[in-house]
Amino acid sequence: MRHKVEYWIFKFILGTLRWAPRPFANALARGYVGMFDRLIPRFRRIAYRNLQIAMPGGEAARITDGLFDSIARMMVAFSRFPDIDRTNIHNWIRYEGFEHYTEAKRRGRGVLFATAHMGAWELSAFAHALLTEPMNIVVRPLDNLLIDAEVTKRRSSSGNTVIAKKDAARAILGALRKNQAVGVLVDQNVAPEEGVFVDFFNTPACSGSAFVRIAHSSKAAVIPGFALWSEAEQRYVLRFYPLLEFTGDVQIDTQLLHSCLEQVVRQYPDQWFWIHRRWKTRPAGEGSLY
């Protein structure tokens, strides 16, 4: 029953955002997110603690407010997926650094997009399928299967293939052998047995190593890519960064990946998902930061 209630709330929110005029939908989404913020204050507390760890300096409230605005913008974009196609996708997003993707495809070993919960991560893959070609996206299925089915339907509606994160290696390697692109979110905390500790904002962070190991075994090109909001343009910029040249060492290459991510987060701090307990897993003998 709880899952059914959550599903209909989810459908109601998406429906109101889809059919309202876009300026009103933006305001409505900010209202929904503001309600979420008030009803579940622990997420703001997590954001404040993360910012105290990563970027101390008294701007936690401003950055967190900006993050909630960013989530609201993405909600509006996600609600409009059924109405976005090749004729109007440019109203929502444009490329920057597309030459890096061209070079990656030329190498012929597949493309691994290293992305994050940054800006409009749902829109980035959806838009790439319309602007260039479909790709594969690796996701963790949602606990609510009703909502997960609806989200999967939207994620794949532009032609993309959704790969469940659990036991995804075979599907990823198969796509790379066909010189296809695969997008993976690499920014979340993992258990010690799933990753290695890297320096992230001057604090050890346990980071998944599967992405790097797959890159090593497949020889795929690795591109950091993020859909970042441009206030001046009032649309997103799907920015591809230069290819990362891995060394073959898991520790060194995982650090390289997260050093690149940190640079982007520092540039756009109000678009990264600070409400996730990124530094939850600690090195042996070290106490909790939360």
Side-chain angles (χ1 to χ4, degrees), residues 12-276:
F12 172 81
I13 290 173
L14 287 189
T16 57
L17 297 180
R18 178 182 178 185
W19 298 113
R22 190 169 172 183
F24 181 67
N26 289 332
L28 190 59
R30 288 193 296 271
Y32 287 144
V33 173
M35 186 183 305
F36 171 85
D37 185 17
R38 291 188 292 274
L39 289 174
I40 314 178
R42 68 183 178 90
F43 287 110
R44 181 172 286 267
R45 290 196 297 268
I46 291 171
Y48 284 3
R49 178 57 179 143
N50 281 336
L51 285 158
Q52 183 183 46
I53 294 168
M55 302 179 70
E59 290 194 285
R62 180 190 66 80
I63 292 173
T64 304
D65 287 345
L67 166 61
F68 285 129
D69 285 345
S70 179
I71 292 172
R73 283 193 299 266
M74 186 176 71
M75 286 171 57
V76 174
F78 188 74
S79 76
R80 306 293 177 101
F81 277 13
D83 308 307
I84 300 175
D85 56 28
R86 288 181 174 83
T87 67
N88 58 17
I89 184 63
H90 294 282
N91 296 331
W92 293 88
I93 196 167
R94 69 169 176 85
Y95 279 122
E96 186 175 292
F98 188 77
E99 66 275 10
H100 303 307
Y101 181 71
T102 302
E103 167 60 19
K105 290 286 286 187
R106 186 194 63 78
R107 296 187 181 186
R109 292 296 195 100
V111 182
L112 280 169
F113 281 124
T115 190
H117 294 84
M118 184 94 182
W121 64 89
E122 294 285 1
L123 179 62
S124 61
F126 178 88
H128 184 70
L130 295 176
L131 293 167
T132 304
E133 61 184 353
M135 57 180 287
N136 303 268
I137 51 176
V138 179
V139 302
R140 185 186 75 80
L142 301 175
D143 296 333
N144 186 319
L145 298 182
L146 295 172
I147 295 178
D148 183 69
E150 180 66 27
V151 170
T152 299
K153 178 181 176 182
R154 289 171 181 257
R155 284 171 170 164
S156 59
S157 61
S158 62
N160 289 331
T161 298
V162 176
I163 299 173
K165 185 175 181 180
K166 185 179 181 181
D167 302 322
R170 179 177 297 180
I172 294 172
L173 291 170
L176 295 175
R177 282 193 292 269
K178 298 174 185 176
N179 199 26
Q180 295 177 359
V182 181
V184 184
L185 294 159
V186 300
D187 60 331
Q188 292 195 310
N189 180 77
V190 300
E193 61 272 15
E194 299 177 37
V196 296
F197 282 93
V198 297
D199 183 282
F200 191 54
F201 286 92
N202 301 312
T203 303
C206 196
S207 305
S209 59
F211 180 95
V212 167
R213 294 180 190 279
I214 289 174
H216 289 169
S217 63
S218 66
K219 308 300 182 184
V222 176
I223 302 177
F226 313 93
L228 302 164
W229 176 253
S230 169
E231 188 67 25
E233 297 182 37
Q234 289 293 295
R235 62 175 175 170
Y236 290 95
V237 177
L238 181 48
R239 183 168 298 149
F240 295 153
Y241 289 79
L243 279 64
L244 297 180
E245 301 296 344
F246 281 173
T247 65
D249 182 284
V250 171
Q251 181 71 48
I252 292 174
D253 294 338
T254 306
Q255 180 65 68
L256 175 64
L257 194 63
H258 286 77
S259 295
C260 176
L261 172 60
E262 180 179 330
Q263 291 178 5
V264 179
V265 174
R266 286 187 181 279
Q267 190 175 0
Y268 301 93
D270 56 353
Q271 295 192 43
W272 190 57
F273 208 62
W274 294 101
I275 59 177
H276 165 69

